[in-house]
Amino acid sequence: KQSSMHLFFPFILFLILRSVQTTASSLPSQNDNISKDNISLACLMIARDEAENLSRNLPLWPPSFFDAYVIGIDDRTTDGTHSVLQRLLAPRNVPHYIFNYTFDNFGAARSTVLQRAFTTFPHVTH
């Protein structure tokens, strides 16, 4: 089975690169209490049958790297991706929003995740 995770890395990389443009004074310090009101960097992801890849790779990401996760799961997913994400994100104590959507095309999926991110975390900066 070929992984579709490679489709999502450019999207995540875009968000990371955009965050580099943020000035240091606008970033929360380590002592700030991260909440829905001061999100600075959110990880937006689109996933279909990525349980194995997420189980292997998400634990490698530093827990405080992202201030929030917004993940759209293709409703054709059959491998428990949603459960894996819930299990891996819960101990990170980072706000997250995981939802199912009906895949039509990549552009629509990307727009759906972006819309949900700005609706769920209206103060997200990147």
Side-chain angles (χ1 to χ4, degrees):
K1 174 186 159 224
Q2 184 178 4
S3 170
S4 60
M5 193 59 132
H6 67 278
L7 294 174
F8 313 118
F9 286 130
F11 190 48
I12 293 171
L13 181 59
F14 167 76
L15 295 173
I16 293 169
L17 292 175
R18 286 274 298 145
S19 72
V20 172
Q21 297 173 359
T22 304
T23 63
S25 63
S26 67
L27 292 173
S29 72
Q30 289 183 333
N31 297 327
D32 287 344
N33 183 20
I34 301 299
S35 71
K36 288 175 73 169
D37 295 330
N38 63 358
I39 299 295
S40 62
L41 179 63
C43 174
L44 310 183
M45 193 182 307
I46 303 164
R48 177 180 178 197
D49 291 326
E50 294 294 346
E52 183 179 335
N53 289 321
L54 289 165
S55 293
R56 187 173 51 246
N57 293 305
L58 192 59
L60 302 175
W61 300 357
S64 61
F65 190 76
F66 294 108
D67 300 311
Y69 292 83
V70 178
I71 303 168
I73 300 175
D74 186 323
D75 62 4
R76 299 171 293 175
T77 295
T78 60
D79 71 348
T81 297
H82 193 279
S83 299
V84 167
L85 284 166
Q86 289 286 20
R87 178 176 51 82
L88 293 172
L89 292 177
R92 291 178 176 241
N93 293 321
V94 174
H96 57 275
Y97 178 62
I98 303 169
F99 65 96
N100 291 339
Y101 70 94
T102 301
F103 186 85
D104 184 31
N105 61 61
F106 181 77
R110 181 191 60 222
S111 295
T112 298
V113 172
L114 281 167
Q115 184 271 329
R116 297 281 180 104
F118 290 120
T119 300
T120 306
F121 304 106
H123 296 35
V124 71
T125 57
H126 295 86

